[in-house]
Each structure stands twice: as C-alpha cells, then as structure tokens.
Amino acid sequence: MSDQSTNASWGGRFSEATDAFVARYTASVDFDRRMYRQDIQGSVAHATMLCKVGVLTEQEREDIIQGLKEVQADIENGTFEWSVALEDVHMNIEAALTAKIGITGKKLHTGRSRNDQVATDIRLYMREEIDHISAELTRLQEGLVGLAEKEADTVMPGFTHLQTAQPVTFGHHLLAWNEMLERDFARLQDCRKRTNQLPLGAAALAGTTYPIDRHYTAELLGFEAPTENSLDSVSDRDFAIEFTAAASIIMMHMSRFSEELVLWASAQFRFVDLPDRFCTGSSIMPQKKNPDVPELVRGKTGRVYGHMISLLTLMKSQPLAYNKDNQEDKEPLFDTVDTLRDSLRAFADMVPHLMARKEDMREAAMRGFSTATDLADYVVGKGIAFRDAHEIVGKAVAYGLETGKDLSEMTLEELKQFSNEITADVFDILTLEGSVAARNHIGGTAPDQVRAAAGRAKARLISRC
Ligand code: ARG
C-alpha cells in the first residue's frame, strides 16, 4: 500500500499536507476495501441515473462504466494498488477511475458525497450478507428437521434445572432448536426490509441541487425505495445495529445448542457422538476427543454481543448528520458477519451427522424417575386429588431411591403400598414409550406429533425458496 500524504480529492483548501500518522489514523481503506464491489455497483447506478437526467452524456456514462469495470478487474486480479493517502475505498476507486479515463472520471462524484455513498455501500453489502447468512441458517434448519424425523421415536430424559424431569423424544428436542432458528430467520428478513432502502441522493446531508432521480437509482440497485430524509439517511446506522442484535440472538441460541452438545458428548452423558472431523485431540492426553466446534461457537457468541454494544455506543448521542465516528461501524459489522456466517456453516455441516446414542439416552431416562408425573396423573385418573397424588408418588420415589428401582421396575404389590387405587394397567404408563406417546397434542413430545411437526417445519423451509 502506498503512503503519500497529500489528497487530491479534497486538498484544495489546505496549506499543508496531512501528517503521515494522522493519515493512517483516519484512513479506513484497510477494512472498507471489503466493499469494493458494492462501491462500484453504486457508482454504476449513480452514473446511469446522472445520464438519464442529463447531467452526464451517454459517452461519459459509458466511459465511466467501462473504467469502473476495469478497476474491478484490477482489484480482483490483485494488481490494484490501495493507497492509505486516499483514505477509503471510495476515493481509491475514484482516483483509479480518473487515472484510467481522465477528466470524465472526476464527474462521477457529481451530486453525491461520500456520506451517502458509504451509507449505500453498507446497505448493499448488508443485504447480500443477510441473504448468505439466511441460506446457511436454512441449511442448518434442514439438517435439524431431517434428523428430528429420524429420531422421532428416540427417547431421552428431558430436563428442568438440568435434573431429569420427564422423558421426551430426541426428535422433539431437535425441533425445539429449530423453532428458535425459525424466529431468527424471520428477524433477519425483517431487518433486511429496513436495510433495503436507498440513501444515495442525500449527498452530504441536505440533498443536491442536481435534478437527480432517486427512484430510478433505487430501482437500478434493487432497493425497495429511496429513503425519506437526507439527514437521517447519511447519519443513522440503526439497520446495522439491528443486524448485530439479530446476530446476537442467533449466537445466543447457537451457544445454548453448543452447550448441550458439549455436555452430551462428554463421558458423563454419552448422549451423542460428534463426527471426528469436527473435533480435535489433545497433545498430552491420548484418550481425548474435544468438541471444539461447539465450544468455539459458544465462545464466539461473546464477540458478537460485544459488536452490538460497540455499534449502540457508537451511535449514542451522535448529533445529526454524518460524523466521522460512523467510520467505526464497519469492523464490528464485518466481524459479526464473518463470525455468524462461519458458525452457522460449521453447524450446518455437522448437524446432519450427529449420532444419537439411543441406549445411553434411554438408560439415563430410566434412571431419573422420569415417569413420576405420569404416575401422579394416573392416580388422579383414579379419582385422587392432584396434591395427594403428588404425595403418593413422592413416597414411591423415596422407596425407589432406597431400593435402587425405577418406578417401572417395581411390582404391583410394591406400588400398591402407596395407593390401593393402583392396578395392573399402571405399567402401560410407567414405560418411557407410554409416557411420551401420551403427550399427544400439538407441541407435545409424542412421536406422532414430532413427525407431524417435522412435516410442517419442512413445508415452511420449502416455502422460503
Ligand atoms: N470512510 C468514511 C466512512 O466510512 C466515508 C465517508 C467519509 N465522509 C467524509 N465526509 N469524510 O464513514
């Protein structure tokens, strides 16, 4: 990167060159060059619009578009020389264009400012990234729903307070994660709507004296509409904050998901096996297989939360309109995009290959008196009030703890000690399968309900494309 300290783009009123360190301190090109494609896309649309309204001739428009294409090719084949003295992606590209096509290049900036230009670039960039992230999210959900169908009959303990509560099906548990991601998807789409508005035309802050056609530019760039207010257009970054908020919620969900996988892959739980290619070993302990991917997703959640707080704080108390502070929006935003996209990708690749250890899950469900509520409901069915039924079953559990027996392993005589109302049909409900099958309503854990819910989830995913 070259480092001259004069700037031809705005140097006119200055009597000394920018201090070399200040030039570096204020430059954003090291990171905003990531938006070069969107910057060129915006400039092509701007030049097209300027020609339509008679500000540029057709020849000028063609020269500009051709020049921008060449600049893009230079960037993509690595021959472009980025310059810190030219501050940012916008001025680097404009200077390169002018170097290629001469004076016409200097006309591109007519009727716009870097303030509306950068706001446009970020929105174009965010719109694309929201689409990529949505696609990864969809892929992850497809994996979850497919696995849920496969595991609709697999019984595991369900937990509250991380204590065995009631048996559930593994498919049902997987679909719980899918519901969280379904809402996350909707949040992203909602954020996309507010991102998909055209700020270009706001110019520095007040609009421009040229007879621009903002509706036309919006149409060229696929934006839903031009923004309503020029001051707001160049200053606010709420769409970016909203994105980091949606990203934070997704990462929060992914961290819960991760935490369970880490626990479940441990020798203490043994509920799942993660494919080896998503794990690593230990350099000292030969027996180790560490669940690195979920651990890292859990860890990376923190930095995404941090980026949301950075952006909120960046905007806090900013007076209208554009302030240079806003240049600080990009790094948190870019890192949020990278972190979220990679985390979703890793999970989308891994989830279809999760191996349920059905026997271990079953055994764990047998161990925690997970059908105690079923026994209480059964006794209620025999005409006993729920509070009394609770007491009866509590005593049966105490007896089970003493004797090392699950409720389903006790004889009828043993069970009758606690209530005379208990008869032989109790064993239908004391089994794990009986317990899950009985929760047979929408939202319940019964295998038939899980299959139906997976079917609906699939239909929703298909209707996205
Ligand atoms: N690099 C700047 C940013 O990211 C572009 C806009 C600069 N505008 C200005 N008047 N200096 O926000």
Side-chain angles (χ1 to χ4, degrees):
M1 198 164 296
S2 71
D3 190 7
Q4 315 117 23
S5 41
T6 50
N7 195 308
S9 305
W10 44 249
R13 61 100 73 209
F14 286 75
S15 55
E16 61 175 355
T18 314
D19 178 89
F21 170 71
V22 171
R24 246 187 308 127
Y25 185 73
T26 55
S28 54
V29 64
D30 282 341
F31 47 86
D32 66 15
R33 52 199 264 197
R34 178 193 280 233
M35 302 191 301
Y36 77 89
R37 257 192 318 107
Q38 291 81 9
D39 194 70
I40 289 173
Q41 190 187 357
S43 290
V44 168
H46 183 62
T48 308
M49 181 279 291
L50 287 179
C51 172
K52 177 175 181 260
V53 300
V55 174
L56 292 180
T57 66
E58 288 191 5
Q59 187 57 53
E60 286 169 335
R61 178 196 63 199
E62 281 323 297
D63 290 349
I64 286 173
I65 293 177
Q66 185 49 37
L68 286 171
K69 273 193 188 146
E70 288 170 27
V71 171
Q72 178 156 349
D74 292 347
I75 295 172
E76 286 170 359
N77 66 32
T79 55
F80 192 89
E81 225 200 292
W82 296 99
S83 151
V84 172
L86 290 168
E87 276 185 48
D88 53 28
V89 62
H90 324 293
M91 294 205 293
N92 268 270
I93 289 178
E94 192 188 311
L97 174 71
T98 302
K100 279 191 193 294
I101 68 171
I103 187 134
T104 307
K106 297 186 179 179
K107 294 189 177 181
L108 170 62
H109 212 52
T110 313
R112 78 174 182 188
S113 147
R114 276 185 292 154
N115 297 351
D116 59 342
Q117 187 179 359
V118 70
T120 304
D121 291 4
I122 303 172
R123 284 171 183 266
L124 285 170
Y125 169 81
M126 287 310 305
R127 188 178 68 184
E128 262 182 54
E129 290 300 340
I130 288 173
D131 289 346
H132 289 138
I133 288 164
S134 301
E136 290 295 5
L137 193 57
T138 301
R139 202 160 67 81
L140 169 55
Q141 287 189 261
E142 284 165 355
L144 274 174
V145 174
L147 192 61
E149 272 187 324
K150 226 170 71 192
E151 305 291 351
D153 295 290
T154 307
V155 177
M156 65 181 285
F159 300 93
T160 59
H161 313 265
L162 202 58
Q163 309 287 320
T164 299
Q166 293 173 351
V168 295
T169 50
F170 185 39
H172 195 52
H173 197 113
L174 292 165
L175 289 182
W177 289 337
N178 181 59
E179 283 305 306
M180 300 176 204
L181 299 180
E182 185 73 22
R183 292 189 294 276
D184 291 336
F185 183 86
R187 262 183 286 274
L188 282 178
Q189 300 318 301
D190 207 47
C191 169
R192 189 190 194 280
K193 279 184 217 149
R194 279 177 291 281
T195 302
N196 197 24
Q197 311 278 326
L198 173 81
L200 203 63
L205 77 164
T208 175
T209 54
Y210 295 95
I212 57 172
D213 182 348
R214 297 186 63 217
H215 287 280
Y216 182 58
T217 314
E219 195 188 308
L220 290 173
L221 291 172
F223 282 115
E224 190 189 290
T227 49
E228 280 288 341
N229 181 292
S230 62
L231 294 165
D232 172 50
S233 306
V234 292
S235 70
D236 209 355
R237 295 291 183 265
D238 58 352
F239 62 95
I241 298 175
E242 202 177 327
F243 170 75
T244 55
S248 294
I249 297 178
I250 299 176
M251 290 302 290
M252 177 274 291
H253 285 151
M254 297 282 284
S255 78
R256 300 183 63 192
F257 192 168
S258 298
E259 172 73 2
E260 294 198 318
L261 290 179
V262 171
L263 286 172
W264 291 359
S266 71
Q268 287 66 31
F269 272 84
R270 292 170 57 85
F271 284 3
V272 293
D273 246 337
L274 304 179
D276 281 0
R277 62 185 181 284
F278 293 97
C279 298
T280 63
S282 158
S283 54
I284 174 166
M285 297 167 283
Q287 85 284 10
K288 291 290 288 284
K289 173 173 160 184
N290 297 327
D292 296 51
V293 168
E295 288 176 283
L296 274 174
V297 168
R298 190 175 61 182
K300 284 175 189 288
T301 303
R303 65 201 262 176
V304 173
Y305 290 4
H307 295 325
M308 179 185 70
I309 295 294
S310 295
L311 291 191
L312 279 168
T313 313
L314 175 70
M315 282 315 301
K316 177 180 177 293
S317 315
Q318 260 199 50
L320 286 168
Y322 175 85
N323 299 285
K324 186 79 165 183
D325 312 41
N326 280 1
Q327 180 165 292
E328 287 290 306
D329 63 353
K330 288 167 204 66
E331 288 159 294
L333 197 53
F334 294 163
D335 189 67
T336 302
V337 163
D338 293 343
T339 305
L340 180 59
R341 201 172 154 179
D342 289 352
S343 302
L344 288 170
R345 175 187 168 168
F347 263 52
D349 289 347
M350 181 180 72
V351 159
H353 308 288
L354 285 180
M355 276 273 304
R357 293 173 155 277
K358 298 182 204 236
E359 276 315 306
D360 294 275
M361 285 182 170
R362 214 193 137 71
E363 211 178 279
M366 285 295 286
R367 256 184 279 126
F369 300 100
S370 63
T371 55
T373 318
D374 298 80
L375 181 57
D377 290 343
Y378 168 89
V379 178
V380 167
K382 300 282 177 172
I384 291 174
F386 184 78
R387 274 295 148 229
D388 294 332
H390 191 286
E391 176 77 12
I392 289 168
V393 179
K395 289 194 169 129
V397 167
Y399 174 79
L401 284 170
E402 238 169 70
T403 55
K405 289 181 184 175
D406 182 61
L407 296 171
S408 63
E409 292 164 337
M410 296 177 193
T411 63
L412 186 57
E413 283 62 45
E414 283 175 304
L415 287 167
K416 271 190 177 298
Q417 307 172 67
F418 310 106
S419 167
N420 242 329
E421 306 298 329
I422 299 177
T423 52
D425 60 349
V426 74
F427 294 106
D428 299 342
I429 62 99
L430 283 186
T431 63
L432 298 176
E433 281 69 24
S435 171
V436 292
R439 284 159 174 82
N440 191 18
H441 52 76
I442 185 160
T445 194
D448 286 346
Q449 292 296 336
V450 171
R451 276 183 279 272
R456 290 191 296 273
K458 257 190 181 168
R460 286 188 312 226
L461 289 173
I462 289 167
S463 73
R464 275 183 197 174
C465 339

